Amino acid sequence: MRALGKIVVAGLALVVFGGTAYGYANLRALDEVTRDSVIDAEGETKPGEQPADGSLDILLVGRDSRSDNQGRPLAPEVLRELRAGANGDDLTDTLIVLRIPNGTKEVKAFSIPRDSYVSMPGGKGKINAAFGRAKAAEAGRLRKAGETDKAKIDQGALTAARRATRQAVEDLTGVKIDHFAEVNLLSFYEISKAVGGVEVCLKEATKDKNSGADFPAGPQRVAGADALAFVRQRDGLPGTDLARVRRQQVFLAGLARQVLSAGTLADPGKLSDLIEAVKRSVVLDASWNLLDFVGQMRGVSGGGIQFATIPVVNVDYRYDSANPRATAVQVDPAAVKAFAASLIGTAAPAGPTGPASPAAPVTVDVANASSKEGLAARVAGVLREKGFTASPAGNTAARRTSLVRFRPDLAGRGAEVAKLLGGLATQPSASVPAGHVEVVLGTVYSGPGAAAGGGAPAGAGDEPITSNGVVCVN
């Protein structure tokens, strides 16, 4: 479900990235898409303006909602087709920030795990709960103020929920969101069918009753309910929930590739179906001028879309001592801000303990906490190829998961190392020597260098995810 927000890119890409005369003319049909006042008026990006933070930033949100974009419940027969239960909730299962740096044609997207534990109004919690908290609070406020019109209460609550989600993302990442797009279960189903399906590849066959997933190993094309099952599957995936994030990033890369292909852009029928699917099911912020956006983005290539995930500290964070079974994803806001800033080549603002410039000199010490012979040396070789001064630090006490440690002043470089190695957990630590970043490779490490063969990636699933080609995943 986390891929839901991402596929909005596909709906816009039909003209943004393709730039065909047919697509541009028909973009006006998207004037009928649902709008909402999500972006603060004083912060709206004006036509032709280049944002002051150096990048046009779009928040893509996917909701595990059993209603349409007008808040009307989906019919039982539709839910059966979607393989979704009747009980939905007000959580955001997808949070993606699409960064388009000023003056460049390179697009970068990064995922925020839905269970990231953050500070927000009402107290700390998982970031995907920001939507439901604000929705309930605003509905209660409106009723208390005397509002009795259900439609007005529902719309006011949804607007507040979307704004709260936007604010939570801004607070965590330090990114000023310029535009907002939201999709739900139905929109994902319709858009994936409209483009004729998406090519994906699995390393192994998989089957999961809860999501409806039932796929063979190898390359295949998925659409509709099967595509929904592909991105929603949770049970049966090896590793943590971050494995599902990677699977969904691969799906979006394939979706972007499919939309940009001649088979879609040159087919008036497919293009029309795609536009209609977007109109029926997508919500955009009220300030987004799509025609101006197309003019700014014309010429961006599909191959320039790159995908990543924010650095995390602990994927099995026990945040509630009263309920030790409750888990979340622990994140370090300073490291996340440094990571987001590095995507456009600038450093996050430095405070008393703020991150240093991403270009700060650093030595990476790589330790092997697994039983894989030569792992530290191979990973150090990968890092040297990326320009780091890196060397193996021998074996260390066995542990399951991998970790990147660094002093607080090197949060930016630590986040960069973690990203290069497949999105490893990160941890600020004053015990790390000055100027050094420590990498501890656990028994489940599967990133670049995991397999024998020098500094080469451990396999197709460890390759960087872009819209250039199909990458096999778990």
Side-chain angles (χ1 to χ4, degrees):
M1 185 59 199
R2 290 181 196 171
L4 297 188
K6 305 174 191 178
I7 55 85
V8 175
V9 177
L12 301 176
L14 59 97
V15 287
V16 173
F17 300 129
T20 64
Y22 178 86
Y24 188 87
N26 282 272
L27 178 66
R28 294 184 180 279
L30 288 176
D31 286 344
E32 299 171 31
V33 72
T34 302
R35 301 280 189 161
D36 198 2
S37 180
V38 184
I39 306 299
D40 294 326
E42 63 273 16
E44 291 180 4
T45 302
K46 305 300 186 294
E49 178 183 340
Q50 293 198 329
D53 69 355
S55 180
L56 183 70
D57 297 299
I58 302 168
L59 175 59
L60 310 176
V61 172
R63 290 177 56 208
D64 193 9
S65 171
R66 275 68 170 171
S67 59
D68 63 16
N69 60 351
Q70 302 296 323
R72 296 173 297 229
L74 298 178
E77 59 271 20
V78 174
L79 292 175
R80 284 194 296 271
E81 177 68 14
L82 297 177
R83 301 171 189 163
N87 295 322
D89 53 28
D90 288 318
L91 300 176
T92 49
D93 271 1
T94 306
L95 292 170
I96 305 295
V97 176
L98 186 72
R99 304 217 76 179
I100 307 172
N102 291 342
T104 75
K105 299 301 182 185
E106 186 176 53
V107 180
K108 299 182 180 181
F110 66 86
S111 303
I112 301 171
R114 67 175 190 171
D115 289 343
S116 298
Y117 199 68
V118 301
S119 297
M120 53 187 172
K124 289 187 175 182
K126 298 178 182 180
I127 196 168
N128 68 339
F131 191 99
R133 281 189 187 183
K135 182 181 176 185
E138 180 64 9
R141 188 194 69 80
L142 289 171
R143 292 189 187 98
K144 188 175 181 180
E147 182 60 66
T148 58
D149 187 316
K150 184 178 183 303
K152 290 183 179 179
I153 293 173
D154 290 346
Q155 183 55 58
L158 282 172
T159 299
R162 289 162 181 151
R163 293 174 69 89
T165 298
R166 185 214 77 212
Q167 189 63 57
V169 169
E170 289 185 342
D171 290 345
L172 173 63
T173 65
V175 171
K176 176 67 179 71
I177 298 300
D178 300 299
H179 293 301
F180 173 96
E182 175 191 298
V183 294
N184 59 20
L185 290 172
L186 181 61
S187 48
F188 179 82
Y189 173 88
E190 292 187 335
I191 291 175
S192 64
K193 287 187 69 174
V195 299
V198 173
E199 288 184 74
V200 297
C201 180
L202 288 176
K203 293 180 179 179
E204 299 179 357
T206 182
K207 191 171 185 177
D208 170 46
K209 181 177 65 175
N210 291 332
S211 65
D214 187 1
F215 304 108
Q220 54 204 287
R221 183 177 290 270
V222 294
D226 286 339
L228 193 57
F230 182 88
V231 299
R232 294 184 73 207
Q233 182 180 358
R234 175 195 299 268
D235 299 332
L237 293 184
T240 69
D241 200 44
L242 295 182
R244 187 169 70 157
V245 171
R246 183 170 173 84
R247 181 193 277 202
Q248 295 161 344
Q249 289 174 342
V250 165
F251 182 90
L252 177 60
L255 182 56
R257 188 168 54 253
Q258 178 67 18
V259 169
L260 297 172
S261 71
T264 299
L265 291 174
D267 186 330
K270 283 187 178 180
L271 210 50
S272 177
D273 288 346
L274 183 54
I275 291 173
E276 288 303 313
V278 171
K279 284 164 56 179
R280 286 194 300 267
S281 55
V282 173
V283 178
L284 302 179
D285 71 84
S287 65
W288 201 341
N289 184 321
L290 294 181
L291 289 177
D292 176 69
F293 180 63
V294 170
Q296 287 180 278
M297 295 299 104
R298 187 179 294 275
V300 172
S301 69
I305 307 175
Q306 302 175 18
F307 303 89
T309 303
I310 64 169
V312 302
V313 175
N314 183 0
V315 296
D316 191 32
Y317 178 48
R318 309 287 168 151
Y319 62 92
D320 187 355
S321 59
N323 183 13
R325 298 185 63 182
T327 63
V329 175
Q330 186 181 15
V331 294
D332 172 24
V336 173
K337 289 179 174 65
F339 163 80
S342 72
L343 296 181
I344 57 171
T346 60
T353 59
S357 163
V362 63
T363 298
V364 185
D365 305 311
V366 186
N368 187 0
S370 78
S371 59
K372 298 175 183 176
E373 185 176 351
L375 178 61
R378 292 195 298 274
V379 172
V382 171
L383 292 171
R384 285 194 296 272
E385 290 179 357
K386 299 297 184 180
F388 285 91
T389 300
S391 60
N395 296 330
T396 189
R399 59 177 286 151
R400 182 175 183 275
T401 58
S402 302
L403 183 67
V404 178
R405 290 194 291 252
F406 44 79
R407 296 176 71 89
D409 64 314
L410 284 177
R413 299 312 316 265
E416 187 178 353
V417 170
K419 175 187 174 184
L420 286 172
L421 298 183
L424 302 185
T426 61
Q427 181 183 77
S429 173
S431 66
V432 177
H436 286 245
V437 169
E438 294 180 349
V439 176
V440 181
L441 303 170
T443 58
V444 297
Y445 176 75
S446 60
D462 301 311
E463 297 174 5
I465 298 174
T466 74
S467 53
N468 277 327
V470 180
V471 174
C472 291
V473 295
N474 291 311

